[in-house]
Amino acid sequence: MSVSVHGFFGGMPLADHKAMAMQRPTQSIPVPEALYLPLKGHRHQPLDLHQITDHLAVSVGQQLAAGQTLTRGMGDAHPRLHAPVAGTFLGIVSRPALKDMGHDVPCLHIQTDRTQAPKKLPDDYPPNTPLPEITPDELMDHLQRMGIVGLGGAQFPTSEKMRQASGGIDTVILNGVECEPYIACDEALMRHRPGTIVLGGRLLAKALGAKRLIVAVEDPLKDSHGSVSDGFLACIQPHPLDPALDIEFIEVPSIYPQGAERQLIKTLTNQEVPFDGLPKDIGVICLNVATAASVADAVIENTPLTHRLVSITGPGIQNPCNVYAPIGTPVTDLIHQAGGFNCPESEIDLIIGGPVSGHTVSDQRSPIDKGSLCILALTRADRPNSVGSMPCINCGFCVSVCPAQLLPQTLFKLASQGAHEKAHQMGMMDCIECGLCAEVCPSHLPLLDWYRHSKDQLRALDMDQRRQALAKERFEARNRRLEQRQAEREARRQARRARLEANSSAQSEIEAAIARARQKKEGES
Amino acid sequence: MIPSVLILTLLTVSVVALILWVSRRWGANDDSVVEQIDALLPQTQCAQCGYPGCRPYAEAIASGEADINQCPPGGQAGVDALADLLGKESKPLNEEHGSHKPPVVALIDEDRCIGCTLCIQACPVDAILGAQKMMHTVLASECTGCELCIAPCPVDCIDLVPAQRPMIHPKPMSIDIRVQA
Amino acid sequence: MDWVFILISAALVNNFVLIKFLGLCPFMGVSSNIESAIGMSLATAFVLTLASVASHMISVHVLIPLELTYLSTVAFIVIIAGLVQLTELFMRHGAPLLHRVLGIYLPLITSNCAVLGVALLNQQQTHSLIESALYGFGAALGFGVVLIALAAGRERLALADVPDAFKGAPIGLVTAGLMALAFMGFTGFAKL
Amino acid sequence: MIGQRATLPHRPARRNVSQVMGQVLIALLPAIAVHAWLFGWGIFIQLALAIGFALSFEAVMLQLRQRPVGVYLKDLSAVVAAVLFALSIPPLAPWWVSGVGMFFAIIIAKQLYGGIGHNLFNPAMVGFAAVIIAFPLALTQWVIPRTLAQTVPDWNTTWVAILQGPQALGGTMDAISQATPLDQLRTGRLDGQTLSEIGIDPMFGLFGASGWEWLALAYLIGGLYLIGQRIITWHVPLAVLLGTIVITLPGWLMDPDLFRSPLQQLAAGSLVMCAFFIATDPVSGSSTPKGKIIFSIGVVVLTLVIRAWGGFPDGVAFAVLLMNMFVPLIDRYTVPRIFGHPKHKRDETRSVR
């Protein structure tokens, strides 16, 4: 049955500048001198060093083959890491984190031998490659072993996502909607390997028992050599691949932030993911197209997730392009590969991610990780030449564009005054950090920065409250234990006094004690 | 003149009688207030406020016996929250009871620990693992940093380590552009 | 039909706080946050309505037949004090936290000029029982609505960039002044 | 530079506050033109006075509050308040009327609350309300519109009236000035005349108020321009205009003698100006979509009540101030449903996900 496209509240079309990165063919970068694989766990449970050292599968100074497993045994939460290229392992070193300015992250340092040829973007599988027979559990374990995580940016382990969602899924959505300007890495992948993406989608759908597989793409993706949709239609239409599975290819209107998971699900299924729930609660699972491609590679070719497509683009880059780079490549090598900056570095603002919701890159030496979509270099000309921010005039432009249907100006007032609890009651945690409110704000207020700060404060507050509740519980349990012991001792003392006064005199007590002692001695001898 | 005095006394007596009857029938109950005060306290059970735990301190505040700024781990934010709850004016933290330090966690120096279990008995939240003459260690996730275990330790092998805090996205510069006078 | 007029006239046209300027001390004191403002308006509504009914009955059945009208102020104060004690007891039983937050402003209702004002005005304008009840309730409604509106406004002002000299009570008084200016729109209602 | 944290968004700046206010001023130009055509030079002098007072008061206060005077003056919000105020007072009102008006509007209603973005009440309306109470007589002496008197006072009578006040003109002032149609209706009602008796007077023209309907039309054009420029959304103006028609139509159909026709309500007073320029003031208006509707309906109802029974001819200013008073309360209880939340009220204590 065809899927009608419903809109979502708010959002705004933005000029997408994608052609800038797509004008050159996808390149692969010569093997950089050193790789630093970041070990940061999911953003809010930072790994501490003890956890890492006892899960290392290699020792310092050991020679590594390409694709060799580096860490193991950390369960679903932290999928394994693999060596992208052959080289020697030089232990754990800390490098500046890419997104969190001023913080460092522990990385596995690999000294690469530069003689080997760089790995190219593998080409597409023919559409009719047979699906290998694999049970859902086998698939999930295999994905965890192959280190597959969400490549859309959140880096959520795919195996854990599938395990949480097992049973109760009827639609799998492959999210090819790259709604943020300048970012074109997914588009390059969709142009080059549509068959692989559909194959990965079918594998996931079969494992999850889904009846429908939807590939969603933005509608304007047309350029000289045919549109993305022709590639997909070519490998879906000719022959029904899978009678049980109904595969559809949908072009959604390109309104930012259409690519956000909740907004895309609302557009395709007209259902809203509950605020305290996951897409699986409404029988949907949404994965990035790059994740689907890496699932197909992992199952068919047995290759771990070691490389990813990154767009190196922006007006400040000499010749912007998409690069198929190994995980852990420092940003300097990527920029060098794209021809460096075309104006003095003091003019450049380097950003990881898109211009609307990206993070400032603190230090060029920091390595990219599995969730880095785009390195963007903006020049002073693109920066708002505003005189700085004016107070909020409550004009309501941001209320009309906010896709989460919040009141950004009220949240801003509360967050900037530090009233994070009240902001939480006004829905601060429902903000999807798309950055549209800051985009349309006539006072140029740094709204997204404030919301990210407030959300982190709320997460820290929540962590503290949970620890406090635990401490209170343990304190009361300890008090109960002490009182109980006190009461028992008291009861024993009472009983002894009662016995002494009530019937026999102290004498019989002593004789009974002597008899007991003699009996014990005979027992031993 | 007489009837006016009579009327007034009659009126006052009847009103007083009504109040006495009502007050005996519906006594005051204060425990829900203690509950809410206790929820605001940081539960470190560190007794720096002069009371053997957070709950007793909450009862003292409810009965008016203790002041709202005697809890150093709660810091000034804690005092403001209590003032906000009770509708009082906020006060600066009373430094006598100790100053507000960033959250800390106890750490036992394993070479010097002699396994005397004195710190285990002293710990209000049972965050120290160990047995007689066995190695002791502190569970970092359970420890509230109340520093009660430092005093009883005969070999003084426990020191305080800053607790692991999650990363917070830095605050953007404030919005009001003040003229540098 | 004139019942509605009494209610509207007491609540809006000659509002006790913004036109007659009665009951200003709790108006400024309790309006710093909304919960205490709502609590205060409920308590005042309870006391006001009952006080106007009780004072009407006392004055019609006791004071006027015995020509003791010179006693009315004292008698009314005794009734109001009693009612305030009752409210305090109910509140300490029902909402102990609200009782603690209102603190001194609850017993202060006794000396609230709006409450005594209603009782005396009822007597002066010789309202019937129903009219005095409506008048009391209207006055309480007017007092409550304006108090809660000011509390919401002041909570928002706490986040505003008010010059330091005007932070807190001064800006609250300026807001109350502008509210009185707005209520001037109701003056001159032809019939009332 | 790299390493130095650039604040988001890394995007070319879209329109800023002064451009938004500039658009509002452009939308007011047709009204100023029609005002000048109807009542002569007075409006230009009033505009100059009001803007002069507004900017000087704002500059003084910004200096006192140690804020960068240049930046805040350029945001034109004081100019918009001054223009709206000048358009709502009689053209020949003496200069101290706009002086007092601007003092209340800029210093008390805006700067004391923290400057742009923080004021609780609409500055222009606070100024107008203060002035109409302080100088009741001066506020009733409007010039006879050109459609009735075929001529408008020339330059020097206007100049003398404004500089030295109406008594300097002596007799000629009564010849050229007259009360507004709304004022006439009110005094007629007080003397017990029915609407049809009052209506015979030529000043009521075709439908409501001769001359004034062109001014209402000019505001309508300006307002549609603003909606076209997406500065304001259509919700508030439509709610105000539709509300007026819906409330007054049944009364008028039932008894044209007692209730005025909706067209007269819109044409005579400044309800159309209020719909597009005053009720849509972003700062003092409600910020939630539902709240905006409640705010507009409230303004319409209160305006009509004050016009029907109140003591002032046109109750728009007081209606807006009264509704401004309740905006923080309205905002608190009309928070829109958040994406993914159930329809009924969110529970306050949900955990952080």
Side-chain angles (χ1 to χ4, degrees):
Chain A
M1 67 209 176
S2 83
V3 175
S4 64
V5 172
H6 316 268
F8 62 93
F9 178 83
M12 202 169 76
L14 294 177
D16 62 15
H17 300 289
K18 289 197 188 315
M20 186 182 277
M22 290 304 294
Q23 62 207 19
R24 284 182 188 73
T26 311
Q27 309 164 5
S28 55
I29 186 169
V31 176
E33 184 251 345
L35 291 180
Y36 306 93
L37 294 160
L39 284 162
K40 190 153 58 67
H42 192 64
R43 177 148 170 23
H44 303 299
Q45 295 108 14
L47 285 170
D48 53 38
L49 284 173
H50 315 300
Q51 270 182 318
I52 305 165
T53 37
D54 47 34
H55 287 285
L56 268 183
V58 288
S59 55
V60 178
Q62 181 180 345
Q63 284 298 344
L64 302 174
Q68 183 171 347
T69 313
L70 299 176
T71 60
R72 73 156 67 84
M74 281 199 278
D76 270 347
H78 303 291
R80 296 186 178 174
L81 283 172
H82 303 79
V85 288
T88 54
F89 176 60
L90 297 183
I92 295 176
V93 70
S94 80
R95 307 295 293 180
L98 198 53
K99 282 191 173 169
D100 303 321
M101 188 136 192
H103 293 274
D104 285 352
V105 67
C107 297
L108 300 180
H109 180 200
I110 301 175
Q111 186 73 27
T112 60
D113 68 27
R114 312 194 63 168
T115 56
Q116 60 193 325
K119 183 180 180 206
K120 270 177 28 32
L121 180 64
D123 41 27
D124 202 359
Y125 296 115
N128 47 23
T129 40
L131 273 189
E133 288 314 317
I134 183 167
T135 69
D137 290 338
E138 260 170 35
L139 179 65
M140 291 180 203
D141 298 342
H142 184 64
L143 291 186
Q144 202 271 334
R145 272 199 308 280
M146 287 295 129
I148 306 293
V149 291
L151 296 179
Q155 298 187 60
F156 197 81
T158 311
S159 52
E160 185 171 347
K161 196 171 201 176
M162 289 171 69
R163 236 182 273 285
Q164 277 172 2
S166 58
I169 291 288
D170 62 84
T171 314
V172 172
I173 297 177
L174 297 187
N175 181 353
V177 182
E178 236 171 7
C179 49
E180 191 144 4
Y182 289 107
I183 303 181
C185 56
D186 282 352
E187 189 190 335
L189 185 76
M190 286 192 284
R191 236 177 244 306
H192 195 79
R193 307 183 70 198
T196 324
I197 293 172
V198 171
L199 209 59
R202 282 172 53 209
L203 270 169
L204 291 166
K206 212 147 78 65
L208 291 164
K211 290 188 292 304
R212 271 195 354 209
L213 170 66
I214 301 177
V215 181
V217 177
E218 268 187 326
D219 54 20
L221 291 193
K222 296 181 183 49
D223 68 357
S224 53
H225 34 78
S227 78
V228 172
S229 41
D230 308 344
F232 275 110
L233 294 179
C235 51
I236 292 175
Q237 239 62 31
H239 36 74
L241 295 167
D242 215 330
L245 191 59
D246 162 15
I247 304 177
E248 273 148 286
F249 173 78
I250 308 288
E251 288 191 345
V252 289
S254 74
I255 299 169
Y256 180 82
Q258 182 66 75
E261 184 181 52
R262 287 163 175 264
Q263 275 57 38
L264 185 59
I265 291 171
K266 165 85 167 126
T267 302
L268 294 176
T269 64
N270 201 15
Q271 282 176 305
E272 284 184 7
V273 177
F275 69 97
D276 53 1
L278 293 169
K280 69 172 172 62
D281 299 343
I282 50 173
V284 172
I285 186 166
C286 185
L287 293 147
N288 187 288
V289 282
T291 320
S294 60
V295 163
D297 289 344
V299 170
I300 297 170
E301 298 285 336
N302 224 335
T303 54
L305 178 59
T306 54
H307 286 67
R308 72 153 293 138
L309 268 166
V310 188
S311 303
I312 319 291
T313 174
I317 297 279
Q318 191 59 33
N319 29 46
C321 60
N322 289 317
V323 175
Y324 189 64
I327 308 287
T329 316
V331 170
T332 41
D333 296 71
L334 289 169
I335 293 178
H336 181 65
Q337 168 68 19
F341 298 124
N342 56 15
C343 58
E345 220 171 275
S346 63
E347 287 293 308
I348 293 286
D349 274 324
L350 203 53
I351 293 142
I352 173 75
V356 192
S357 66
H359 292 255
T360 315
V361 174
S362 56
D363 182 336
Q364 280 197 43
R365 292 177 297 120
S366 44
I368 62 167
D369 53 19
K370 292 182 179 179
S372 318
L373 300 168
C374 162
I375 311 279
L376 183 63
L378 288 176
T379 57
R380 193 57 65 199
D382 294 286
R383 298 284 292 109
N385 41 27
S386 65
V387 70
S389 34
M390 294 273 292
C392 157
I393 61 167
N394 197 9
C395 61
F397 293 166
C398 50
V399 177
S400 52
V401 292
C402 175
Q405 293 168 212
L406 299 167
L407 293 175
Q409 76 273 34
T410 317
L411 290 177
F412 163 71
K413 286 196 179 102
L414 292 171
S416 54
Q417 301 284 341
H420 300 299
E421 280 297 325
K422 286 207 188 84
H424 176 41
Q425 278 157 20
M426 294 292 283
M428 175 59 85
M429 290 314 285
D430 296 291
C431 162
I432 59 169
E433 295 181 25
C434 67
L436 258 187
C437 45
E439 165 88 12
V440 295
C441 175
S443 300
H444 310 314
L445 288 164
L447 296 172
L448 189 55
D449 273 333
W450 276 110
Y451 299 150
R452 283 187 173 144
H453 170 74
S454 182
K455 285 174 83 167
D456 280 352
Q457 291 280 14
L458 281 172
R459 289 190 187 103
L461 221 62
D462 181 65
M463 198 180 86
D464 289 349
Q465 263 151 15
R466 251 191 255 119
R467 285 179 63 139
Q468 281 165 11
L470 187 70
K472 186 174 180 192
E473 234 171 85
R474 295 180 72 90
F475 179 61
E476 272 148 14
R478 178 173 178 270
N479 287 351
R480 277 198 299 277
R481 189 181 71 240
L482 293 183
E483 272 144 26
Q484 202 185 352
R485 190 169 300 159
Q486 194 71 20
E488 275 155 19
R489 197 171 300 128
E490 199 53 40
R492 268 205 307 281
R493 193 174 301 120
Q494 261 6 23
R496 198 173 309 116
R497 185 171 304 115
R499 218 168 39 262
L500 285 182
E501 287 138 8
N503 39 41
S504 63
S505 66
Q507 198 51 30
S508 62
E509 190 66 33
I510 298 164
E511 280 140 13
I514 296 166
R516 265 201 315 279
R518 195 174 304 114
Q519 220 176 15
K520 202 154 44 123
K521 211 179 316 74
E522 281 139 10
E524 276 151 12
S525 59
Chain B
M1 186 19 205
I2 305 300
S4 58
V5 171
L6 204 66
I7 296 296
L8 266 188
T9 39
L10 191 71
L11 189 65
T12 328
V13 163
S14 58
V15 164
V16 166
L18 181 68
I19 293 164
L20 284 178
W21 176 71
V22 163
S23 67
R24 205 168 304 103
R25 202 154 164 321
W26 286 292
N29 59 355
D30 257 351
D31 48 14
S32 75
V33 177
V34 172
E35 218 46 65
Q36 279 163 329
I37 294 174
D38 194 31
L40 288 180
L41 297 176
Q43 304 305 331
T44 49
Q45 325 295 356
C46 59
Q48 284 178 11
C49 52
Y51 296 89
C54 292
R55 178 85 191 186
Y57 177 48
E59 275 143 11
I61 294 178
S63 61
E65 183 191 322
D67 203 342
I68 56 173
N69 60 352
Q70 290 175 249
C71 175
Q76 191 56 42
V79 177
D80 296 344
L82 282 171
D84 194 34
L85 176 77
L86 303 173
K88 290 205 183 85
E89 278 312 307
S90 178
K91 300 190 180 63
L93 189 62
N94 180 340
E95 291 304 329
E96 242 171 65
H97 295 271
S99 63
H100 178 64
K101 296 188 284 296
V104 286
V105 171
L107 183 67
I108 293 178
D109 178 358
E110 267 131 17
D111 335 340
R112 285 192 279 132
C113 170
I114 55 171
C116 65
T117 75
L118 279 177
C119 61
I120 294 177
Q121 288 140 26
C123 177
V125 285
D126 297 340
I128 301 178
L129 219 54
Q132 191 70 21
K133 290 196 180 50
M134 296 289 179
M135 176 50 64
H136 290 11
T137 174
V138 175
L139 300 174
S141 61
E142 313 290 335
C143 170
T144 63
C146 64
E147 297 164 19
L148 284 175
C149 54
I150 293 178
C153 176
V155 292
D156 194 14
C157 71
I158 302 175
D159 45 28
L160 292 171
V161 173
Q164 198 184 26
R165 297 300 297 162
M167 277 176 280
I168 303 269
H169 186 86
K171 225 192 274 200
M173 44 155 181
S174 79
I175 57 165
D176 58 350
I177 330 155
R178 214 168 266 273
V179 175
Q180 279 63 30
Chain C
M1 197 39 195
D2 63 352
W3 289 344
V4 173
F5 279 136
I6 285 191
L7 199 66
I8 293 177
S9 98
L12 295 179
V13 178
N14 24 44
N15 181 300
F16 264 67
V17 183
L18 291 178
I19 304 288
K20 286 189 174 353
F21 299 116
L22 291 173
L24 281 180
C25 61
F27 183 63
M28 287 319 295
V30 179
S31 55
S32 49
N33 71 60
I34 270 203
E35 285 75 23
S36 58
I38 292 173
M40 186 59 174
S41 10
L42 289 179
T44 318
F46 175 76
V47 169
L48 245 169
T49 322
L50 286 188
S52 62
V53 168
S55 61
H56 172 81
M57 284 202 282
I58 295 290
S59 80
V60 166
H61 298 298
V62 173
L63 294 184
I64 292 175
L66 300 169
E67 294 99 23
L68 293 173
T69 48
Y70 56 85
L71 269 187
S72 52
T73 316
V74 179
F76 293 162
I77 280 296
V78 168
I79 297 166
I80 293 169
L83 280 172
V84 167
Q85 278 308 324
L86 280 182
T87 338
E88 187 152 359
L89 289 174
F90 286 143
M91 192 176 278
R92 191 179 306 162
H93 176 72
L97 182 67
L98 185 60
H99 170 71
R100 196 174 289 280
V101 165
L102 285 183
I104 183 65
Y105 287 105
L106 196 55
L108 262 183
I109 297 181
T110 328
S111 66
N112 181 341
C113 22
V115 180
L116 187 58
V118 166
L120 292 174
L121 280 172
N122 272 337
Q123 193 187 33
Q124 206 178 30
Q125 291 164 4
T126 60
H127 281 145
S128 74
L129 181 66
I130 306 292
E131 279 168 4
S132 60
L134 275 174
Y135 194 68
F137 184 67
L141 206 65
F143 177 82
V145 162
V146 174
L147 178 64
I148 295 171
L150 180 67
R154 284 185 70 178
E155 235 175 50
R156 186 154 142 177
L157 283 181
L159 309 175
D161 175 20
V162 179
D164 302 342
F166 281 86
K167 276 203 167 21
I171 199 67
L173 281 166
V174 169
T175 313
L178 289 178
M179 281 187 183
L181 181 68
F183 259 76
M184 293 285 282
F186 284 124
T187 55
F189 263 56
K191 287 190 192 52
L192 311 173
Chain D
M1 291 84 62
I2 297 185
Q4 196 238 350
R5 210 166 57 72
T7 59
L8 286 163
H10 316 285
R11 297 280 294 168
R14 288 173 178 266
R15 52 188 171 193
N16 58 29
V17 175
S18 24
Q19 280 156 355
V20 168
M21 296 296 174
Q23 294 290 348
V24 175
L25 288 175
I26 292 166
L28 282 169
L29 288 184
I32 294 173
V34 168
H35 199 290
W37 176 71
L38 275 178
F39 303 110
W41 300 103
I43 181 66
F44 296 118
I45 304 170
Q46 294 297 350
L47 278 176
L49 280 171
I51 294 174
F53 276 122
L55 290 181
S56 46
F57 285 143
E58 183 141 290
V60 164
M61 280 303 286
L62 285 171
Q63 201 61 36
L64 289 176
R65 285 177 53 220
Q66 294 178 346
R67 290 290 190 283
V69 181
V71 171
Y72 282 103
L73 279 191
K74 273 208 290 296
D75 70 22
L76 296 180
S77 59
V79 176
V80 169
V83 169
L84 286 175
F85 175 79
L87 280 168
S88 47
I89 58 171
L92 296 185
W95 60 272
W96 53 80
V97 166
S98 56
V100 166
M102 278 301 111
F103 174 81
F104 271 92
I106 297 301
I107 291 187
I108 295 193
K110 183 177 167 199
Q111 286 299 333
L112 273 194
Y113 282 82
I116 181 167
H118 301 290
N119 47 327
L120 280 185
F121 294 92
N122 186 317
M125 284 306 112
V126 167
F128 182 77
V131 155
I132 199 165
I133 293 171
F135 311 102
L137 180 62
L139 265 288
T140 56
Q141 290 174 333
W142 275 78
V143 174
I144 305 169
R146 177 186 291 272
T147 52
L148 276 174
Q150 277 69 40
T151 62
V152 280
D154 57 11
W155 175 260
N156 48 38
T157 40
T158 321
W159 192 251
V160 164
I162 292 177
L163 269 192
Q164 287 127 20
Q167 68 281 8
L169 285 177
T172 54
M173 188 60 188
D174 309 336
I176 58 170
S177 76
Q178 137 211 71
T180 63
L182 278 177
D183 219 342
Q184 200 64 15
L185 284 170
R186 193 176 65 81
T187 39
R189 168 169 54 79
L190 287 181
D191 310 342
Q193 296 169 334
T194 64
L195 274 181
S196 43
E197 285 152 9
I198 310 169
I200 308 157
D201 187 325
M203 90 189 287
F204 292 101
L206 298 161
F207 36 81
S210 80
W212 289 82
E213 62 273 15
W214 301 114
L215 200 55
L217 206 63
Y219 284 122
L220 186 68
I221 295 164
L224 294 180
Y225 167 78
L226 271 187
I227 294 179
Q229 291 292 328
R230 300 166 71 85
I231 301 285
I232 56 173
T233 56
W234 50 269
H235 304 84
V236 172
L238 190 69
V240 171
L241 299 179
L242 216 60
T244 323
I245 293 167
V246 160
I247 292 171
T248 50
L249 202 57
W252 180 61
L253 291 176
M254 259 198 318
D255 177 359
D257 267 355
L258 195 59
F259 298 103
R260 303 171 193 162
S261 79
L263 217 52
Q264 185 174 23
Q265 294 282 20
L266 287 178
S270 51
L271 254 177
V272 178
M273 164 178 165
C274 161
F276 289 104
F277 294 99
I278 303 201
T280 56
D281 168 47
V283 179
S284 56
S286 164
S287 25
T288 62
K290 261 192 291 209
K292 283 188 164 88
I293 306 291
I294 296 171
F295 179 79
S296 338
I297 301 294
V299 165
V300 168
V301 167
L302 285 171
T303 310
L304 296 176
V305 160
I306 292 175
R307 279 188 186 172
W309 297 299
F312 293 97
D314 188 355
V316 168
F318 293 103
V320 168
L321 289 183
L322 282 165
M323 284 318 286
N324 282 154
M325 214 168 84
F326 293 108
V327 156
L329 210 56
I330 295 173
D331 277 359
R332 190 184 165 85
Y333 291 111
T334 59
V335 177
R337 183 186 73 81
I338 295 177
F339 185 92
H341 278 255
K343 279 273 180 298
H344 53 75
K345 197 170 170 340
R346 295 185 315 290
D347 58 351
E348 295 304 318
T349 55
R350 61 180 172 76
S351 69
V352 177
R353 189 166 53 82

